[in-house]
Structures are given as C-alpha cells and as structure tokens.
C-alpha cells in the first residue's frame, strides 16, 4: 500500500499504453483504472486536435477512448479548471478525474474556495510542468530558429532544458535559455511560474528524477493524498500499473531541478516586474497598454476566478457603456477583484485580442499583495485576503485614518 509522501517510478503494464504515453503511460493507466473501477464517472483530459499545436480538452466516459489522450502537449495552452466549473457543473453531480498542470490545479483550488467546484468529487492527477509555449509562438520559433516547416513536425518535447522537435528528415533540439534570450520560448507567465511539482493534487507525476534505463520509460510519481495513495495502490495491486520505489539519486536530482526552476522563476519575476516600472510609473504603463483594449471580454471569459453571473464591468454606473477603449475602471475592477487570487495561468494574456500583457499586470499586483499579506493563492483552501475583511471594521478603520486610501500602493 502506497502512502502519502512516498515516491515511485511507475509505468503501464500494457505495452501499447507504454508506447503511446509520454513517459511510460502511468498517467493514462491510472486514469483508466479510475474509470474502469468506477472510482470516477468521467475523465477530463487533453487530446491532440487539428495538429500538434492544438491541445483540446476532452471528457471521456469509456476508457477505450483514453488512448487518444496519452502524451504531453507542450504547445497547448489550455486551462482545465474553468471547464469543470463552466461545463461540468463544478463536479457537483459527477465524480471526475482531471489531469492538471500547476495552473489548472491552482484554478481548481480558487474555484473550490468560492464553492464553484466540489473538490470532494475531483481526483487530480497532476503533471509537473516546466512550461508551455503558445501555438503561434511555437510555429514561429520552429520556422525561424529551427529552420523547419512547423507542419512537418511529428513530435515536440521539452527535455533537459531543451525544446526538441522530430520532423520528417530528423530531429533537433535548442536550449530553452537560448530560445528565450532571443525572445522565443515559453509563455511569459510560465517563465515566472513557481508551481512546478503539483503536490496539492492527489498525485504529482513527471519525468524529473527518472534516471538510468527508466529515463523516458517511466514516470516519477509522488503520492500527495490518501485519495492518490488509494488509486495508485489499487492500480498496482490489480497489475495494470508497474512500480518501484524511486532511487535516492533520482529523488535528489528531481529536487535539484525543481530548485533550479524556482530560481529561474524568481529571475523572470524580477526582470518582468522591473520592466513595468514601480509605483506611478507602473500605473502609467498599465494605463497606456490597456488603452488598446477593445472590450472583447476574453480576459474575463478565460479567467478561472471570473465566474460572476453579473459582472461589475457590465454595470453602467461603474463602466460607462459604449466606449472603446473602455474607461480604465473596466480594468481596475478586475485588478481589485482578482489580484489577491490570481494564479498566473496566463489565459487573460494568451487570449487577449489586443495582446495586452494582462497576466503580467495582474501577477505583479498579486506578488505585491502576497508580500504584504502572506497569502499565496491556489495552493491551499486558505481564503483570500478580501474574504477575511469585515466590512464594518474596515470602514471604521478607514474612517479613522481621515483619508479614503487604505493603502497607497502606487506611491512613489
Ligand atoms: P501519459 O500517460 O502520456 O498521460 C499524459 C497526460 O497528460 C494525459 O492524461 C493528457 O491528458 C495530459 N496532458 C497532455 N498535455 C496536457 C496539457 N497541456 N495540459 C494538461 N494536461 C495535459 N514533467 C516534469 O517532470 N518536468 C517538466 O518540466 C514537465 N513539463 C511538462 C509540461 C507540460 C505542458 C505537460 C503536459 C507535462 C509536463 N511534464 C513534466 C509531465 C511529463 O511530460 C509527463 O506528462 C508525465 O511524466 C506523465 O507521463 P505519462 O507517460 O505517465 O503520461
Ligand atoms: Fe505550467 Fe506554470 Fe505555465 Fe501552468 S503557468 S503551463 S503550470 S509553467
Ligand atoms: Fe489567470 Fe489572468 Fe485570471 Fe490571473 S487574472 S488567474 S493570469 S486569467
Ligand atoms: Fe466577477 Fe469581477 Fe471577474 Fe466581473 S471582473 S467576473 S465581477 S470577479
Ligand atoms: Fe480588453 Fe484584452 Fe480583455 Fe479583450 S481580452 S477585454 S481586449 S484586455
């Protein structure tokens, strides 16, 4: 019986799943076992759409269909959490297993806090994540830097710090650092992301720490909850999943890589936030850039934390209707409502019709608030700062200051 905190190398007992899987097919096997034993009613996973750059969510109820979800799509920048809320009734009426990257998982936690998702009915199979590349960027990068027609690429992967492609006629890898220095590579939110190992999911699965003959053929699984331990143990006992204890050397290596990724995340945060300026200068940058907004609402539609039936940005007494670009209040409302809970998933930037760096703006505010109040969104069920504010107490406190500003965060 596996227990919370234990670490394993795992791979599928089925040869076809092993071959199709990214690293031995453990995740696909675990999902199949959960579905076959009726531990869950459905699986929400990801499948290849029109091409390698098109990652599509898919809901599966017959485990025979799981084969098409095996493999990692690094150029698919979708977010799973909002789908659970929006299309699956927040898992209120059905039990669902979901494959989650760090940002998917964090979004689920934020929605669960707000009672929009029932985590008791969700089994989170985490995949560790070093980052993803936007589909357009991937095509451009493969054309410009690899000199290859992106439509000829048959496989992409990110391994040992390299972006690697296989294509008709060969394969080629270029270091991510080199690509990113040249303005290509992972999305900017992914560079700043520090949730690399999905320990708040039920299982955290990835390739870091898999060494020797297991490298590429097995997945490193960290058991993170009782639910995860139960699924993992059952699959091993049934003989569908093969597993052995992770080696000390592998565990150490995984720790080192995770540490290096944290440092890299800090480096990018420093660089990106510095680039925005500070105080009034940052406000000016944000106001100027959001001046391109065409009020398409994509940022709100995509954000896992924006789910309100009556969005304040649509209230005429707050945002005067009929103006493009909308008054800055449109953006201020989102900053006020989201910045303590933003999980830096990048969706509001990725899907912005005007390429406004929404995620960067929101993330910079979130990190400032985290420094002030010590609250990290997405990693536990701890409530966000604003949820803890007692209105009467705050009004009295504000009145006592003799000003209408509690924090002058834009002060020079
Ligand atoms: P499989 O059996 O092949 O199953 C893979 C599962 O991943 C499927 O269920 C599929 O639905 C899901 N999936 C595929 N693409 C996505 C996506 N874009 N979003 C959400 N779910 C998806 N591991 C590390 O240790 N270090 C890393 O840096 C790292 N980066 C990754 C980046 C991305 C974008 C992804 C998707 C995975 C990453 N992984 C990383 C995890 C690793 O690639 C394997 O997914 C993991 O080892 C499991 O392998 P497997 O053969 O057991 O999975
Ligand atoms: Fe992965 Fe983090 Fe980017 Fe999400 S934000 S895709 S978890 S690196
Ligand atoms: Fe994701 Fe943007 Fe919402 Fe933050 S504000 S959680 S980056 S969509
Ligand atoms: Fe809700 Fe505010 Fe987002 Fe509108 S902007 S959906 S009111 S959180
Ligand atoms: Fe404006 Fe971009 Fe949001 Fe559309 S997605 S409303 S253009 S900021």
């Amino acid at each position: 019986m596996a227990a919370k905190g234990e670490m394993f190398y795992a791979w599928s007992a089925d040869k076809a799943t092993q071959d199709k899987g990214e690293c031995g097919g453990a995740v696909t096997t675990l999902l199949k076992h959960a579905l076959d034993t009726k531990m869950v009613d459905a699986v929400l996973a990801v499948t290849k759409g029109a091409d390698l750059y098109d990652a599509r969510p898919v809901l599966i109820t017959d485990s025979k269909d799981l084969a098409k979800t095996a493999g990692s799509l690094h150029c698919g920048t979708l977010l799973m959490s909002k789908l659970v809320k929006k299309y699956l009734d927040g898992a209120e009426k059905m039990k669902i297993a979901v494959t989650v990257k760090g940002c998917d998982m964090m979004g689920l936690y934020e929605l669960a806090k707000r009672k929009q998702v029932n985590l008791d009915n969700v089994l989170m199979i985490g995949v560790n994540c070093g980052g993803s590349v936007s589909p357009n960027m991937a095509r451009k990068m493969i054309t410009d830097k690899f000199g290859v027609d992106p439509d000829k690429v048959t496989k992409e992967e990110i391994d040992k710090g390299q972006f690697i492609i296989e294509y008709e006629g060969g394969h080629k890898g270029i270091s991510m650092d080199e690509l990113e220095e040249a303005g290509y590579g992972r999305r900017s939110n992914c560079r700043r992301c520090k949730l690399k190992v999905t320990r708040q999911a039920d299982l955290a699965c990835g390739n870091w720490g898999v060494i020797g003959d297991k490298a590429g053929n097995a997945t490193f699984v960290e058991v993170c909850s009782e639910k995860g331990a139960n699924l993992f143990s059952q699959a091993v006992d049934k003989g569908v999943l093969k597993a052995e204890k992770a080696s000390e050397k592998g565990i150490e290596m995984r720790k080192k890589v995770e540490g290096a990724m944290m440092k890299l995340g800090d480096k990018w945060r420093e660089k990106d936030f510095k680039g925005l300026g500070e105080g009034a200068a940052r406000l000016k940058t944000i106001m100027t850039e959001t001046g391109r907004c065409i009020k398409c609402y994509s940022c709100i539609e995509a954000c896992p934390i924006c789910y309100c039936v009556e969005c304040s940005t649509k209230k005429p007494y707050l945002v005067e209707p009929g103006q493009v670009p909308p008054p800055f209040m449109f953006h201020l409302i989102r900053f006020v409502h989201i910045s303590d809970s933003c999980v830096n998933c990048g969706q509001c930037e990725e899907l912005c019709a005007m390429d406004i760096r929404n995620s960067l703006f929101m993330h910079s505010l979130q990190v400032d608030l985290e420094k002030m109040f010590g609250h990290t969104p997405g990693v536990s069920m701890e409530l966000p700062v604003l949820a803890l504010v007692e209105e009467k107490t705050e009004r009295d406190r504000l009145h006592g200051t003799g000003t209408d500003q509690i924090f002058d965060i834009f002060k020079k």
Side-chain angles (χ1 to χ4, degrees):
M1 176 78 188
K4 190 176 162 186
E6 285 189 314
M7 302 183 205
F8 298 91
Y9 297 134
W11 60 98
S12 182
D14 172 55
K15 178 80 173 71
T17 310
Q18 253 178 48
D19 293 345
K20 260 211 117 227
E22 185 72 14
C23 305
V27 169
T28 306
T29 305
L30 287 160
L31 293 171
K32 183 173 178 331
H33 184 74
L35 206 48
D36 287 345
T37 55
K38 304 211 179 333
M39 206 179 273
V40 295
D41 304 307
V43 165
L44 178 63
V46 178
T47 189
K48 193 175 88 172
D51 55 33
L52 274 181
Y53 316 97
D54 178 24
R56 289 188 190 168
V58 59
L59 188 74
I60 289 177
T61 49
D62 182 341
S63 68
K64 282 202 284 297
D65 297 334
L66 273 171
K68 67 180 176 200
T69 67
S72 299
L73 293 168
H74 300 92
C75 306
T77 47
L78 75 182
L79 191 78
M80 308 293 264
S81 35
K82 196 154 183 186
L83 303 174
V84 177
K85 145 79 189 151
K86 212 168 165 179
Y87 302 109
L88 301 173
D89 200 25
E92 204 46 65
K93 297 199 188 89
M94 69 195 309
K95 289 191 185 290
I96 309 169
V98 192
T99 49
V100 289
K101 305 177 296 299
C103 51
D104 300 317
M105 182 196 75
M106 292 169 95
L108 282 172
Y109 268 88
E110 286 307 311
L111 283 162
K113 279 178 207 179
R114 292 160 173 82
K115 305 198 178 357
Q116 301 301 308
V117 163
N118 181 359
L119 279 191
D120 289 342
N121 281 342
V122 178
L123 184 64
M124 285 191 263
I125 311 295
V127 284
N128 300 342
C129 184
S132 54
V133 183
S134 291
N136 285 348
M137 167 59 78
R139 284 182 163 274
K140 190 167 159 37
M141 179 167 91
I142 290 167
T143 310
D144 297 355
K145 296 293 286 181
F146 290 75
V148 172
D149 176 353
D151 289 321
K152 299 268 181 333
V153 175
T154 50
K155 185 168 168 44
E156 52 73 24
E157 62 177 319
I158 301 178
D159 192 25
K160 296 191 183 69
Q162 286 203 325
F163 186 80
I164 302 165
I165 54 168
E166 285 176 23
Y167 53 97
E168 288 169 24
H171 71 104
K172 207 172 188 174
I174 302 182
S175 107
M176 214 35 134
D177 285 347
E178 185 188 329
L179 291 166
E180 289 179 357
E181 283 307 320
Y184 299 89
R186 295 169 302 159
R187 296 183 293 161
S188 98
N189 64 301
C190 292
R191 296 175 194 187
R192 296 190 304 273
C193 174
K194 288 173 66 179
L195 209 145
K196 300 297 174 188
V197 177
T198 47
R199 291 195 181 87
Q200 295 79 2
D202 295 300
L203 295 168
C205 308
N207 50 28
W208 291 335
V210 188
I211 50 177
D213 61 345
K214 293 271 176 308
N217 302 314
T219 281
F220 190 117
V221 182
E222 181 172 344
V223 180
C224 305
S225 73
E226 303 255 318
K227 246 198 257 180
N230 184 31
L231 169 65
F232 190 88
S233 304
Q234 276 196 24
V236 172
D237 289 349
K238 181 100 192 291
V240 292
L241 187 71
K242 300 280 177 199
E244 62 183 53
K245 282 270 166 84
S247 71
E248 285 306 317
K249 196 172 165 200
I251 294 171
E252 200 46 44
M253 275 183 69
R254 177 176 179 260
K255 205 164 137 193
K256 272 200 186 138
V257 184
E258 190 186 359
M261 292 304 287
M262 292 294 126
K263 281 199 186 134
L264 198 58
D266 280 331
K267 189 195 96 174
W268 279 109
R269 284 178 185 209
E270 202 188 324
K271 187 167 185 277
D272 286 359
F273 297 160
K274 208 167 161 192
L276 286 178
E278 276 187 22
R282 181 174 294 185
L283 177 60
K284 194 160 174 242
T285 307
I286 295 176
M287 288 181 82
T288 307
E289 199 162 317
T290 51
R292 294 205 303 271
C293 175
I294 57 165
K295 211 181 175 189
C296 71
Y297 288 103
S298 279
C299 48
I300 292 171
E301 274 297 306
C303 178
I305 297 144
C306 277
Y307 57 78
C308 308
V309 178
E310 283 185 25
C311 176
S312 300
T313 63
K314 292 185 180 163
K315 293 185 176 151
Y317 54 89
L318 291 175
V319 179
E320 200 181 327
Q323 285 188 24
V324 172
F328 188 55
M329 181 58 93
F330 177 87
H331 303 281
L332 273 181
I333 289 172
R334 247 175 64 77
F335 292 145
V336 169
H337 292 184
I338 311 295
S339 55
D340 64 348
S341 303
C342 169
V343 295
N344 183 39
C345 68
Q347 295 295 305
C348 56
E349 188 164 322
E350 176 81 8
L351 299 171
C352 174
M354 298 305 288
D355 287 338
I356 296 168
R357 294 174 297 170
N358 288 310
S359 174
L360 171 60
F361 301 155
M362 194 70 89
H363 191 210
S364 70
L365 292 175
Q366 183 275 314
V367 171
D368 278 352
L369 288 173
E370 186 172 325
K371 282 183 193 151
M372 281 185 204
F373 299 105
H375 173 72
T376 311
V379 296
S380 71
M381 288 301 280
E382 184 185 270
L383 293 177
V385 180
L386 286 179
L388 303 173
V389 170
E390 286 288 339
E391 194 186 352
K392 171 126 187 19
T393 321
E394 276 313 301
R395 279 192 192 284
D396 290 348
R397 193 159 78 89
L398 184 59
H399 187 68
T401 63
T403 158
D404 62 352
Q405 298 256 300
I406 304 183
F407 312 108
D408 192 356
I409 59 169
F410 295 117
K411 201 166 64 189
K412 268 214 160 197

